[in-house]
Amino acid sequence: EAGVVQSPRYKIIEKKQPVAFWCNPISGHNTLYWYLQNLGQGPELLIRYENEEAVDDSQLPKDRFSAERLKGVDSTLKIQPAELGDSAVYLCASSPGISRGGRNEQFFGPGTRLTVL
Amino acid sequence: GQNIDQPTEMTATEGAIVQINCTYQTSGFNGLFWYQQHAGEAPTFLSYNVLDGLEEKGRFSSFLSRSKGYSYLLLKELQMKDSASYLCAVRDLNSWGKLQFGAGTQVVVTP
């Protein structure tokens, strides 16, 4: 079974430029998450989708960040314009979903390491 | 919300045992997860506790005490490949599926 796929793996941009990250979750997983991880810290949730609905975006900086999951499968996270402080690893994760019960563990992709110069 | 505390770093010798403690405060506990993360890689699931007690899975065990807001991850027979960051994460009943992660404990295994 294929895991969570993310692209690109690395991205270097200059500040004020736009950038986009793509995520394809595990097949059949209803819930998709975008996290930000700074060096030496744990992942911090940016947004969570249940199918195509964003059910928790309270920590997404909406002035410059946006996300979409139009068909309830893959998702894109965008930053426009990027700032120096956005340099971090952006992780995507997926889980079966609330309705499936159980531990509903999250499976993480390899992440995109963003460097803003 | 949750406050999750775990030590920043621990060092142990190959073949030894290391115990990583995690304390948390939450308004609605609904499960505690441990993840392993090697440098530059994705976190991978290790264990899940929702009831008090010990869960054992091979060389790794995880313990939970809900009344004390406390968990530990026990790594036995340490191997060099166990050098990684270990993340404690708590799920909040009031936000099903949302995990709050600790900062992680960097375990360094020495020969």
Side-chain angles (χ1 to χ4, degrees):
Chain A
E1 179 183 287
V4 177
V5 179
Q6 289 188 249
S7 68
R9 290 295 313 276
Y10 304 91
K11 189 74 176 178
I12 301 173
I13 61 171
E14 294 189 345
K15 62 181 181 181
K16 301 185 181 180
Q17 294 300 305
V19 64
F21 314 124
W22 177 79
C23 172
N24 192 32
I26 292 173
S27 177
H29 279 191
N30 295 330
T31 310
L32 184 146
Y33 314 77
W34 282 103
Y35 288 90
L36 177 155
Q37 186 175 27
N38 287 304
L39 189 65
Q41 299 296 316
E44 300 172 32
L45 182 69
L46 290 172
I47 189 168
R48 174 168 64 102
Y49 284 92
E50 294 292 339
N51 298 303
E52 64 273 10
E53 181 183 1
V55 297
D56 185 355
D57 63 357
S58 57
Q59 295 184 279
L60 188 73
K62 298 181 184 64
D63 57 336
R64 296 184 300 107
F65 286 64
S66 64
E68 60 182 16
R69 192 185 185 199
L70 293 177
K71 297 183 179 179
V73 181
D74 57 348
S75 175
T76 302
L77 177 69
K78 298 179 182 178
I79 309 174
Q80 184 172 7
E83 296 179 352
L84 295 176
D86 296 333
S87 294
V89 175
Y90 291 83
L91 294 165
C92 179
S94 70
S95 66
I98 302 171
S99 61
R100 307 281 186 89
R103 64 191 183 201
N104 198 32
E105 76 200 67
Q106 297 181 23
F107 296 82
F108 286 82
T112 297
R113 182 175 296 277
L114 174 67
T115 301
V116 182
L117 303 175
Chain B
Q2 299 100 338
N3 293 315
I4 300 174
D5 292 311
Q6 52 182 129
T8 303
E9 184 171 315
M10 302 181 74
T11 300
T13 306
E14 197 173 10
I17 298 173
V18 69
Q19 177 175 316
I20 306 169
N21 296 325
C22 172
T23 58
Y24 63 88
Q25 295 175 311
T26 180
S27 56
F29 177 83
N30 192 239
L32 186 145
F33 295 77
W34 284 96
Y35 280 82
Q36 180 191 59
Q37 187 175 27
H38 286 100
E41 297 183 12
T44 55
F45 169 80
L46 284 180
S47 68
Y48 169 69
N49 296 73
V50 67
L51 299 176
D52 291 350
L54 187 68
E55 294 284 340
E56 296 184 89
K57 187 188 296 185
R59 294 189 298 114
F60 295 177
S61 304
S62 57
F63 172 82
L64 174 68
S65 170
R66 289 172 294 171
S67 62
K68 295 181 179 178
Y70 167 71
S71 172
Y72 68 72
L73 179 69
L74 194 69
L75 285 62
K76 293 178 279 189
E77 300 170 18
L78 279 173
Q79 302 176 9
M80 298 300 291
K81 67 178 182 180
D82 297 330
S83 292
S85 179
Y86 292 84
L87 299 161
C88 174
V90 174
R91 186 163 61 195
D92 186 350
L93 181 65
N94 298 320
S95 180
W96 181 265
K98 180 173 184 175
L99 292 184
Q100 183 74 36
F101 284 85
T105 298
Q106 184 67 43
V107 170
V108 178
V109 181
T110 60

